[in-house]
Amino acid sequence: MNANMRKEPVSVKERNSFKKLLIEIPKAEIHLHLEGIASVDTIWNLIQKYGLKIEGVQSKSDLKKKYYIKNLDEFISLYINVIQDSFKEIEDLDELFHDAGKYLNRNNIVYSEIFFAPSRFLLNGFSFKNLIQKLTEGSNILKKQYHTDTRFIIDVSRSFGIDNAMRNCNLTLKYLTDYIVGIGLGGPERHGPAKDYKKVFEKAVKNKLHVVAHAGEDVGPESIWDAIKYLNVERIGHGISAILDNELIQHLADQQIPLEVCPTSNLFTRRYATSYEDHPIKTFYEKGVNVTLNSDDPALFGVDLVDEYLHLLDHGVFSMSQLLKILKNTIYATFLSKKKKDDLWAQAEKIITANGFTVDR
Ligand code: ADE
Ligand code: ZN
């Protein structure tokens, strides 16, 4: 057996060379929220700039402490009422793109599909047109300064109801640019069953947008079935409660519906995973499900994409060759053209082979 296929603890030397390899490989990330990349410094500067009053927050370290949430609802409240609410002027988003550039660059992510949730920004008086212009501008900056390609998925959101989601979908279609690839459904899963958003997603699909949804992050397998049945999603955000339903695991494997798995995020929100070791991703992989690896909200959960790979290695969940297969899955689960996926994977594979590593089949 090749050294990088072993699952027992790897030596420090092997781990270091795998980490070096992981950084060197050009990667994709497909489940990442723009506002979740905002550094503590960025949010703290905005809080000070506008003199915002946030309960229990008198200092930057108080703010950081707020990030230790105990469940998804608490997280969404932090996300909307603290993080998103700190942005008051369109220029405030500039710093966010710098944070994104640094994150993407240090992880060598050359292509990403990033969620942006406009609802709270619109309620705070931003115009959709200006927000979309900013996404275009930001994407151009990321390309020029950090040599990374970015596309956006508009999170129509469960947080503000069905009419708001339809409005977001309509606005997305009205102001569509080449930088927007689709819509997604994020927010509090418990309070927004997928079937409520059927019409919104039908409209998006009819207009050739890609569609994804967070499902099975905070609610059982029925939520994943509903996202597939009612929303016709092409990928599932998280999907980890599928671990409770063998028929669903089989369906996901048969249909090769990619799961956008974000292990560290799941440990924060504490529903269907309590440790890396017992994270459902292992069973999914063994049963042939198309799993991809992502960070979700890297600044809020204090995790880089490269760390997500390393955590699964360090905790004996996957061998190096299995992790490289998951990296490949992630590239192939993007909404890039087949040619671009093949090109990106060819670059990655060349580096893997040159360094003497192999990819699980
Ligand atoms: N928005 C940002 N992160 C999210 C998550 N993990 N689940 C649902 N909505 C989100
Ligand atoms: Zn997410």
Side-chain angles (χ1 to χ4, degrees), residues 25 31 63 83 107 109 113 140 145 149 157 166 212 231 257 278 280 285 302 323 356:
I25 301 173
H31 191 118
L63 175 64
I83 308 296
N107 286 281
I109 297 163
E113 287 162 10
N140 285 327
Q145 288 186 10
D149 284 305
S157 186
M166 184 57 102
V212 297
L231 308 185
I257 300 169
D278 74 2
Y285 186 92
L323 287 166

Side-chain angles (χ1 to χ4, degrees), residues 33 72 75-76 79 186-187 214 217 238 265 296-297:
H33 297 260
L72 184 64
F75 175 75
I76 300 296
Y79 198 79
H214 287 63
E217 176 186 24
H238 300 278
S265 164
D296 209 0
D297 296 285

